[in-house]
């Protein structure tokens, strides 16, 4: 439940909680901007990246909607407008993670050599179609089946106006199970753990203390970037023969190519360096052979 207003000090002048939600959403946009700053090189070369861009735009629209509700609260019924925004926003964000995970996995399963340089314009067009379709279906479903009416409840014998919002069980389960997996195979996922363990620990702490985060806050670009790293790592591990150690992967946070020798059962010694030279010779015949 999201509190729309509470009695405050004087019951005749209830405290409006709109500004609180505006600050939460602005903080999410700031976090998304930070994530974009280190994901900017390859974000447009994958389906998950394009989904992240669309989510960033949706977050900006959500901030604009809440800002309008706050600025025009003298002329609009704040409880109705805020409940409409928060209920629909949380419902849409709660629906998106599962199809995004499935579509992202299928994308990397068919990605040629996991190399962003091999991404074609046709592939980019198909990404746009899939992203628009997912947002359209999610918004259409929530528009017809989401309850946006504010409700009155009594908390500690005080009347409070609340709105029903949704959390994302997919994000919760994904973060919990991924945390367990990283701990179990920490040595093999050291590069991933160094980047993403702080985020996963934060999700774990929220779960342990019973802090439920609404979907409009938990489904963010930090989760998208983490998911992207996981899927790229899994795809690279199973397709290392075709990708090799020199490809430019659609992930700017983890250096997955260092695991190429692990998947081959070798180590980065003189023999491994020779393997790299041979890979260049065989897979890039147009290049002039030279020692590196």
């Amino acid at each position: 439940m999201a509190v729309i207003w509470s009695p405050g000090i004087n019951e005749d002048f209830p405290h409006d909680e709109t500004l609180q939600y505006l600050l939460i959403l602005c903080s999410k946009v700031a976090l998304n901007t930070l994530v974009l700053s280190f994901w900017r090189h390859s974000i447009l070369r994958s389906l998950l990246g394009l989904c992240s861009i669309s989510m960033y735009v949706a977050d900006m629209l959500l901030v604009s909607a809440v800002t309008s509700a706050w600025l025009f609260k003298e002329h609009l019924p704040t409880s109705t407008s805020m409940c409409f925004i928060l209920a629909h926003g949380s419902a849409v964000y709660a629906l998106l993670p599962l199809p995004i995970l499935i579509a992202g996995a299928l994308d990397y399963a068919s990605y040629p050599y996991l190399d962003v340089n091999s991404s074609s314009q046709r592939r980019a067009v198909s990404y746009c179609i899939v992203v628009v379709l997912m947002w359209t279906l999610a918004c259409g479903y929530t528009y017809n089946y989401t309850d946006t009416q504010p409700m009155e409840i009594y908390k500690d014998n005080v009347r409070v106006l609340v709105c029903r919002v949704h959390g994302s069980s997919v994000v919760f389960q994904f973060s919990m199970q991924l945390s367990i997996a990283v701990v179990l195979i920490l040595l093999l996922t050291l590069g991933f753990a160094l980047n993403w363990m702080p985020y996963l620990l934060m999700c774990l702490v929220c779960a342990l203390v019973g802090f439920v985060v609404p979907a409009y806050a938990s489904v963010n670009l930090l989760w998208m970037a983490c998911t992207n790293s996981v899927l790229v790592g899994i795809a690279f591990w199973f397709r290392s023969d075709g990708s090799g150690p020199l490809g430019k992967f659609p992930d700017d946070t983890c250096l997955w190519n260092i695991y190429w020798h692990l998947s081959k059962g070798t180590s980065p010694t003189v023999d491994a360096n020779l393997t790299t030279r041979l890979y260049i010779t065989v897979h890039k015949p147009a290049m002039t052979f030279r020692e590196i």
Side-chain angles (χ1 to χ4, degrees):
M1 295 292 182
V3 178
I4 304 300
W5 61 256
S6 54
I9 300 176
N10 189 342
E11 293 188 1
D12 295 329
F13 298 94
H15 180 63
D16 188 359
E17 303 288 346
T18 304
L19 186 59
Q20 172 187 335
Y21 295 109
L22 181 59
L23 293 175
I24 292 174
L25 292 172
C26 287
S27 300
K28 181 187 179 184
V29 170
L31 176 64
N32 290 345
T33 304
L34 179 63
V35 174
L36 283 178
S37 67
F38 64 75
W39 196 7
R40 63 185 182 276
H41 297 294
S42 64
I43 193 169
L44 295 176
R45 302 299 183 90
S46 67
L47 179 60
L48 281 177
L50 206 60
C51 287
S52 298
I53 294 293
S54 68
M55 190 172 294
Y56 186 84
V57 175
D59 287 338
M60 295 296 293
L61 293 176
L62 197 59
V63 168
S64 300
V66 175
T67 302
S68 300
W70 182 59
L71 292 176
F72 299 103
K73 59 184 177 181
E74 300 295 335
H75 307 284
L76 295 173
T78 305
S79 59
T80 303
S81 57
M82 280 301 297
C83 194
F84 181 89
I85 295 169
L86 295 178
H88 279 299
S90 63
V92 170
Y93 280 103
L95 287 173
L96 285 175
L98 183 58
I100 285 177
L101 276 174
I102 296 174
L106 293 176
D107 175 41
Y108 286 133
S110 62
Y111 210 104
Y113 305 111
L114 284 179
D115 193 337
V116 297
N117 295 322
S118 62
S119 181
S120 63
Q121 186 175 2
R122 181 186 303 175
R123 198 176 188 87
V125 173
S126 66
Y127 288 163
C128 294
I129 295 174
V130 171
V131 169
V132 171
L133 183 62
M134 285 194 295
W135 278 100
T136 302
L137 292 176
C139 291
Y141 180 86
T142 58
Y143 182 79
N144 291 310
Y145 295 101
T146 302
D147 182 12
T148 62
Q149 294 300 317
M151 299 177 292
E152 290 185 359
I153 64 172
Y154 285 87
K155 182 179 180 181
D156 298 330
N157 296 323
V158 175
R159 188 170 64 93
V160 179
L161 191 65
V162 299
C163 176
R164 186 183 300 276
V165 295
H166 301 266
S168 177
S169 59
V170 175
V171 172
F172 175 79
Q173 292 295 335
F174 178 87
S175 302
M176 294 304 100
Q177 295 178 22
L178 185 59
S179 300
I180 296 172
V182 169
V183 171
L184 292 178
I185 54 175
L186 183 61
L187 292 178
L188 293 178
T189 59
L190 185 58
F192 177 86
L194 290 175
N195 286 287
W196 292 113
M197 206 57 200
Y199 166 71
L200 296 175
L201 285 175
M202 180 185 67
C203 296
L204 185 61
V205 169
C206 290
L208 292 177
V209 301
F211 182 69
V212 180
V213 182
Y216 57 76
S218 63
V219 184
N220 51 52
L221 263 63
L222 197 60
W223 177 78
M224 293 288 290
C226 180
T227 303
N228 184 71
S229 293
V230 172
L231 294 179
V232 169
I234 294 173
F236 172 66
W237 186 267
F238 285 102
R239 300 172 59 192
S240 57
D241 289 336
S243 58
L246 304 176
K248 183 174 175 56
F249 304 131
D251 180 20
D252 295 328
T253 56
C254 297
L255 299 176
W256 289 111
N257 49 6
I258 67 175
Y259 295 104
W260 187 78
H261 298 299
L262 281 176
S263 66
K264 295 296 182 182
T266 62
S267 59
T269 60
V270 175
D271 294 336
N273 291 332
L274 178 60
T275 303
T276 303
R277 295 191 190 101
L278 291 174
Y279 182 86
I280 296 175
T281 305
V282 173
H283 291 269
K284 296 186 180 297
M287 296 176 59
T288 304
F289 179 81
R290 65 180 184 275
E291 291 289 318
I292 57 174

